[in-house]
Amino acid sequence: MSPLAHGAAASTDVVGAQGDTPQDAAPHPSDLVVLLDEEGRPTGTAPRTRVHTRETPLHLAFSLYVVDTDGRLLLTRRATGKTAWPGVWTNSCCGHPRPGEPVQAAVRRRTAEELGLEVGGLDVVLPDFRYRAVDASGVVENEICPVHLTVVPVGTEPRPDPAEVAEHAWLDWSDVRRTAEACARAARAGARAEEPTAPTTPHAAQAGAEALAAVEELLRLRLDRLAGEWRRGPGPEPLVGDADPVLGEQGLPGILAELVLGAGKRFRPLMCHWGWLAAGGTESGADPTVPVRIGAALELLHAFGLAQDDVMDGSTTRRGRPATHVSASDCHRAAGGRDDALRYGASVAVLVGDLAHMEADAIVAELAQPVRHLWWRTSVELVRGQVLDLSEAAAGGGANAEARAWAVARAKSGGYTIQRPLELGAVAAGAGSEVLDALGEYGAHLGEAFALRDDLLGVWGDPELTGKPAHDDLRAGKATVLLAWAEQEATGRAADLVARIRNQQHEDGDVEEAAQIMESTGVRERAEEQVRRSHASALAALEEPALHPAGVAGLRQVADSVCWRTR
């Protein structure tokens, strides 16, 4: 045990301050940290506001975990204006003893300043703890940091300083442990992807699967927390009669959980994971939990799009099950609802989407500003794609139908499914322009392939695999690139039939015939050929030397799975 750690454990030693340099003499002692040598002995002081850089010297700190008498742990999220680790969830409180200040006195002082809590007994549970970590901006933490524990009565609520703490939460220890295990899996997935392998070996697929497992676990934790918050009233007591009279015990959060945790493809978090690795995330010192958090937010954003898209398209199924608005309408009828069941179902689906988007934004709000800005752009593009899709269905066709259909496909499918998730992961890893340009080109080509494959499956997909009826896009008169091509190629009676599909004036028998027309006029083969060309162009973009091989291996496999998928 170092002399310093022993002093912290005994809570009797006082840290001295010697050897101040002239440039460090001016700051007030309250704004100085204690520098240490490798043995944990004080060597001098440095200004707190200037000590944390990319070459932070070893210094003294402390960490505090506040637990209530029910065993719940108080976690805090650092204010987004903080220089180091902005917006990151962390322990209850941390800080630095001042020169000459006993460590436990510093713990009590800082807890009162930061959280508005007066703490009593302190136990030193890790007197020798030392760590070094690097945040997303490159700022280094390099500390000997005795870890303390204090217990407070149930119902104790902090009054945090907003300049220090953005928000706080009391979590059961089991939830904290599950979160830590999910983050550890994400880090292992990144390390596994770094193993030297051939580009198509199973390592990349296994690393991707481990990353998705971490995203899945985080989604479960967030949705569990959301369900608990949903049942709370404005005060400390739960809401009275919190079971929804129509939706039952599951309520809106339960419907959202079904949608998010169902059998989805999880392309978006996978693209984020490989973008992070391709940008060298494991070597840059970037936080490996960030792509996991972005991945969870992307799945929630996707749930937002699905719930509201099904209402707008009038789709009755999703992933082989009733769509959200259909399921809610069924609940309304089963409960003997007095008003319009269809309107109720559509309203519930809109609210499910709203709840998903709010939770996604809450996750991203914890991340660095460049990620938050790109997230905002992604959300805007998705909504823009939705409204373009609606407008195209209402007044589509004409000379520019293909260009408009491509605009919808790129914004609504390719952009937020492939390109933006890829770039979000890269930005989180601190990617430079060469990496971002190469990934942007890869993402644009693969995004087009993804959108075209979606269109192909919407006409010729196997309902057992897609979870949607055969020819569903034609039945809905969806304004796809395929429909625009069919309008260009069809003549005579076939052109009249395609026009009826476009104007949603068709009969059931027209749908099968329209699919046959698309095949006979070469539309289907044209789309397949375009997918092949986009696939080749996407792979060519991965030849950029600045891309990390681990990420390239994963992106090659993803390109195959995107272009040749069956659902």
Side-chain angles (χ1 to χ4, degrees):
M1 178 181 294
S2 71
L4 176 63
H6 178 79
S11 71
T12 56
D13 289 0
V14 173
V15 178
Q18 309 96 18
D20 289 356
T21 59
Q23 61 267 34
D24 290 336
H28 189 275
S30 65
D31 203 33
L32 296 174
V33 300
V34 178
L35 303 180
L36 305 172
D37 65 16
E38 288 299 312
E39 299 301 321
R41 295 182 293 248
T43 62
T45 62
R48 178 186 56 81
T49 55
R50 298 205 300 269
V51 75
H52 294 95
T53 65
R54 293 177 181 268
E55 298 179 355
T56 304
L58 181 64
H59 61 279
L60 176 61
F62 65 80
S63 178
L64 175 66
Y65 288 79
V66 179
V67 178
D68 71 12
T69 47
D70 274 354
R72 298 183 307 162
L73 175 64
L74 175 64
L75 296 182
T76 60
R77 184 165 77 88
R78 290 170 64 84
T80 55
K82 300 287 286 183
T83 301
W85 309 93
V88 171
W89 281 95
T90 183
N91 56 356
S92 307
C93 184
C94 55
H96 305 89
R98 296 167 177 168
E101 182 180 31
V103 175
Q104 292 198 353
V107 174
R108 291 190 172 89
R109 169 183 56 78
R110 191 61 186 154
T111 306
E113 293 171 350
E114 192 168 294
L115 296 178
L117 290 180
E118 300 293 335
V119 298
L122 291 170
D123 292 322
V124 184
V125 292
L126 289 174
D128 292 314
F129 183 61
R130 173 177 175 174
Y131 79 105
R132 185 181 187 279
V134 185
D135 80 351
S137 68
V139 174
V140 173
E141 295 282 3
N142 185 18
E143 300 174 339
I144 290 180
C145 186
V147 178
H148 295 70
L149 176 71
T150 191
V151 179
V152 299
V154 170
T156 300
E157 278 300 320
R159 301 179 303 282
D161 177 358
E164 299 290 340
V165 178
E167 59 180 309
H168 67 277
W170 292 96
L171 293 183
D172 291 335
W173 178 247
S174 60
D175 288 342
V176 177
R177 180 174 178 177
R178 285 164 57 196
T179 302
E181 289 171 348
C183 293
R185 280 197 296 274
R188 287 197 298 271
R192 186 182 301 279
E194 294 279 356
E195 295 176 14
T197 62
T200 57
T201 57
H203 287 275
Q206 185 176 351
E210 290 175 355
L212 292 187
V215 170
E216 189 91 10
E217 184 65 22
L218 180 56
L219 282 169
R220 292 182 186 279
L221 287 168
R222 297 288 306 206
L223 291 167
D224 285 350
R225 178 186 170 194
L226 178 62
E229 186 67 24
W230 187 263
R231 291 187 288 270
R232 288 183 58 189
E237 299 300 321
L239 292 171
V240 177
D242 56 352
D244 190 287
V246 174
L247 302 177
E249 291 290 338
Q250 66 171 346
L252 213 62
I255 295 176
L256 175 58
E258 276 189 11
L259 184 60
V260 172
L261 300 175
K265 294 182 283 291
R266 301 284 192 254
F267 274 136
R268 294 155 194 85
L270 194 60
M271 297 309 301
C272 179
H273 169 73
W274 292 123
W276 188 78
L277 282 178
T282 55
E283 295 180 349
S284 67
D287 181 356
T289 70
V290 171
V292 175
R293 287 182 276 171
I294 297 173
L298 285 165
E299 284 300 289
L300 287 160
L301 183 66
H302 185 44
F304 154 78
L306 294 181
Q308 301 198 358
D309 192 50
D310 285 344
V311 173
M312 290 182 274
D313 287 350
S315 299
T316 58
T317 60
R318 171 65 62 182
R319 298 169 179 165
R321 303 179 62 181
T324 300
H325 65 286
V326 174
S327 178
S329 295
D330 290 343
C331 289
H332 183 280
R333 296 186 190 95
R338 292 187 294 272
D339 53 355
D340 187 337
L342 294 179
R343 181 163 156 268
Y344 175 84
S347 300
V348 166
V350 169
L351 291 171
V352 167
D354 291 343
L355 194 62
H357 207 323
M358 285 188 287
E359 186 66 15
D361 285 345
I363 293 174
V364 175
E366 304 169 4
L367 305 179
Q369 193 278 333
V371 174
R372 298 198 306 272
H373 177 70
L374 185 54
W375 174 264
W376 171 77
R377 288 184 61 189
T378 302
S379 299
V380 170
E381 289 165 358
L382 172 57
V383 175
R384 185 182 68 195
Q386 292 279 28
V387 75
L388 286 174
D389 196 17
L390 286 174
S391 298
E392 191 64 16
N400 295 322
E402 180 183 351
R404 294 197 306 272
W406 273 119
V408 172
R410 289 171 181 137
K412 188 179 171 186
S413 295
Y416 104 100
T417 298
I418 304 295
Q419 186 172 356
R420 292 309 189 197
L422 188 66
E423 292 171 348
L424 282 163
V427 168
S433 59
E434 290 181 339
V435 168
L436 288 174
D437 288 347
L439 293 180
E441 184 179 353
Y442 168 93
H445 288 303
L446 193 61
E448 289 188 355
F450 179 92
L452 269 184
R453 181 58 64 194
D454 246 9
D455 290 352
L456 286 161
L457 292 174
V459 178
W460 294 285
D462 182 347
E464 293 294 320
L465 297 176
T466 64
K468 302 192 100 176
H471 312 316
D472 198 43
D473 283 0
L474 289 177
R475 188 171 290 104
K478 194 171 181 181
T480 64
V481 173
L482 300 186
L483 186 59
W485 286 348
E487 289 173 319
Q488 295 169 9
E489 301 296 335
T491 60
R493 179 182 176 279
D496 292 340
L497 188 148
V498 172
R500 290 200 300 274
I501 294 288
R502 163 75 75 181
N503 296 322
Q504 300 181 48
Q505 297 171 345
H506 56 278
E507 299 176 355
D508 284 345
D510 293 338
V511 173
E512 178 67 35
E513 189 175 351
Q516 293 172 2
I517 289 170
M518 284 184 168
E519 292 213 53
S520 65
T521 56
V523 167
R524 184 175 186 177
E525 179 51 36
R526 181 179 175 182
E528 292 288 0
E529 176 58 29
Q530 182 59 55
V531 169
R532 288 190 286 271
R533 288 199 298 267
S534 295
H535 178 266
S537 297
L539 294 186
L542 297 179
E543 299 300 320
E544 166 58 51
L547 296 177
H548 195 284
V552 170
L555 291 174
R556 288 182 181 278
Q557 291 193 354
V558 167
D560 291 346
S561 63
V562 163
C563 291
W564 320 126
R565 62 196 168 95
T566 57
R567 66 183 183 95

